[in-house]
Amino acid sequence: MATMEVGSDSDFKVHVFSSASELLGKLQKKWSSVKKKPYPAMYSSIYGGIILDPAMMVIPIDDHMVHRGHGVFDTSMILDGYLYELDAHLDRFLRSAAKARISSPFPQSTLRSILVQMTAASQCKKGTLRFWLSAGPGNFLLSSAGCPTSAFYAVVIDDDFSQCKNGVKVITSTVPMKSPQFATMKNVNYLPNVLSIMEAEDKGAFASIWVDEDGYIAEGPNVNVAFITKDKELILPSFDKILSGCTAKRLLELAPKLVEQGRLISVKTGNLTVEEGKGAAEMMYVGSTLPVLPIIMWDDLPIGDGKVGDLTMALSDLLWHDMVAGPDSQRFPIPYDN
């Protein structure tokens, strides 16, 4: 991590910005050398509109989401000019907000309209749409009672992604997982998730697996996990103590097609021990940006034959096809202004 080197405290002079225009000029200078904007559009209910200048994509420092973590978020994918599963993510978003006791400044239909309009203004054809509800700005107290209103923020992230076909290694995390009350809502308190993935990276793995207090497999740091048993059953851990993944739930809807083809015996959710998970024929992460990522090794032990499984890729194909050519109920065309 880069640090600023100074001879002594007395040598370091802090600059005082004399005007807003001076500060804005410095911020814009930072972005002037960036050829392609990674964040082509943002919405802020505090500003009351869509922002296209990345130098102005900021939120107030006294927002309770910033200094108290009182906020929730969700993410929808942008692929080939369509928003994938926007309504499913919005539904979960508002369920999370209710659990966090945050009231939306707009009804769901208005939130949806804002997100669609902002994505259209971004001109982004492939990336992610991330959105937040915060208790709002107002003060630095623990309680949000003094905040005049909640705040809604959203940003389009221009990002290239493709179907994952290579397997990764994972470890069992030693970082304690969130309690069910917090794990089942998609809130901004992600320090356990961050520490969990840092632990995995320190050990040369891609990410980690959480195991609950009863010894059952839970989830990854920001994705669900799924297994195919040697009897060709697809099993995902039950959602009662973990986040109910939109992509995981869609996989459960699509996977019966492989049962009809005779490739899988059954599709279900349930409790799996670590021993059962490590003894599975195939293992995978399931999440919005993947949508399926094969796992070939867990705690230095191969899963199955240690290679990407055919059924894992068949499930990946089902989800990827759903993303690029699925029904209108899953894909919403973005009304770009051109």
Side-chain angles (χ1 to χ4, degrees):
M1 182 179 294
T3 57
M4 185 176 294
E5 295 183 4
V6 293
S8 65
D9 290 345
S10 60
D11 294 334
F12 184 66
K13 196 74 172 177
V14 179
H15 179 72
V16 178
F17 289 97
S18 59
S19 66
S21 59
E22 181 192 3
L23 176 57
L24 178 58
K26 186 175 180 66
L27 290 171
Q28 289 176 328
K29 182 179 179 180
K30 170 193 170 184
W31 287 100
S32 63
S33 60
V34 178
K35 294 182 179 180
K36 184 179 180 182
K37 296 178 184 178
Y39 320 121
M42 175 190 175
Y43 173 83
S44 167
S45 64
I46 302 300
Y47 288 166
I50 297 167
I51 306 149
L52 302 180
D53 183 349
M56 297 302 296
M57 294 179 183
V58 295
I59 62 176
I61 190 65
D62 66 342
D63 191 302
H64 278 235
M65 185 168 69
V66 175
H67 63 83
R68 297 300 180 191
H70 195 177
V72 298
F73 78 103
D74 222 300
T75 304
S76 183
M77 302 306 297
I78 305 166
L79 182 58
D80 296 337
Y82 285 78
L83 281 163
Y84 181 65
E85 285 206 302
L86 176 60
D87 292 318
H89 285 277
L90 260 179
D91 288 344
R92 183 177 66 179
F93 179 60
L94 292 176
R95 289 197 301 271
S96 294
K99 290 180 179 180
R101 298 182 63 179
I102 301 172
S103 298
S104 173
F106 308 110
Q108 183 168 348
S109 59
T110 302
L111 294 176
R112 189 182 194 275
S113 178
I114 290 169
L115 293 174
V116 170
Q117 291 180 62
M118 184 195 66
T119 307
S122 77
Q123 295 296 311
C124 178
K125 304 297 192 299
K126 192 176 187 181
T128 56
L129 168 63
R130 190 166 296 184
F131 40 100
W132 296 260
L133 264 179
S134 161
N139 54 48
F140 287 94
L141 300 178
L142 185 61
S143 170
S144 61
C147 298
T149 182
S150 58
F152 179 56
Y153 306 107
V155 68
V156 170
I157 304 168
D158 192 321
D159 190 24
D160 189 25
F161 58 91
S162 58
Q163 189 176 9
C164 299
K165 297 184 178 181
N166 296 320
V168 299
K169 301 177 182 180
V170 300
I171 64 164
T172 303
S173 180
T174 64
V175 178
M177 66 178 288
K178 298 173 187 175
S179 67
Q181 179 180 0
F182 299 107
T184 54
M185 74 171 88
K186 200 169 178 68
N187 62 81
V188 299
N189 296 283
Y190 258 45
L191 185 56
N193 311 62
V194 170
L195 294 177
S196 176
I197 202 162
M198 290 178 72
E199 177 187 31
E201 291 170 345
D202 288 343
K203 296 181 179 180
F206 175 80
S208 57
I209 300 292
W210 265 319
V211 178
D212 69 21
E213 69 275 9
D214 296 319
Y216 293 119
I217 297 165
E219 58 186 344
N222 62 344
V223 286
N224 292 102
V225 62
F227 299 85
I228 296 173
T229 69
K230 292 177 180 177
D231 294 328
K232 298 191 183 304
E233 288 184 304
L234 172 64
I235 305 178
L236 278 75
S238 300
F239 298 127
D240 53 340
K241 295 182 180 179
I242 61 174
L243 189 69
S244 177
C246 294
T247 307
K249 291 173 70 175
R250 184 60 179 158
L251 180 65
L252 289 168
E253 293 173 353
L254 294 171
K257 292 180 180 180
L258 297 187
V259 176
E260 294 170 4
Q261 297 170 11
R263 302 182 69 183
L264 285 176
I265 298 299
S266 64
V267 176
K268 66 179 183 179
T269 61
N271 292 325
L272 291 97
T273 65
V274 173
E275 182 180 4
E276 289 171 331
K278 289 182 176 179
E282 301 180 33
M283 179 179 177
M284 68 208 79
Y285 280 137
V286 182
S288 296
T289 60
L290 301 173
V292 170
L293 177 61
I295 296 172
I296 58 174
M297 189 167 287
W298 182 3
D299 288 336
D300 295 325
L301 296 174
I303 299 297
D305 61 5
K307 299 178 182 178
V308 175
D310 291 340
L311 290 173
T312 296
M313 291 313 303
L315 292 168
S316 179
D317 288 341
L318 283 176
L319 271 173
W320 190 256
H321 181 267
D322 197 55
M323 293 174 70
V324 300
D328 293 343
S329 60
Q330 304 300 315
R331 301 167 71 242
F332 180 80
I334 301 165
Y336 298 106
D337 189 19
N338 59 12

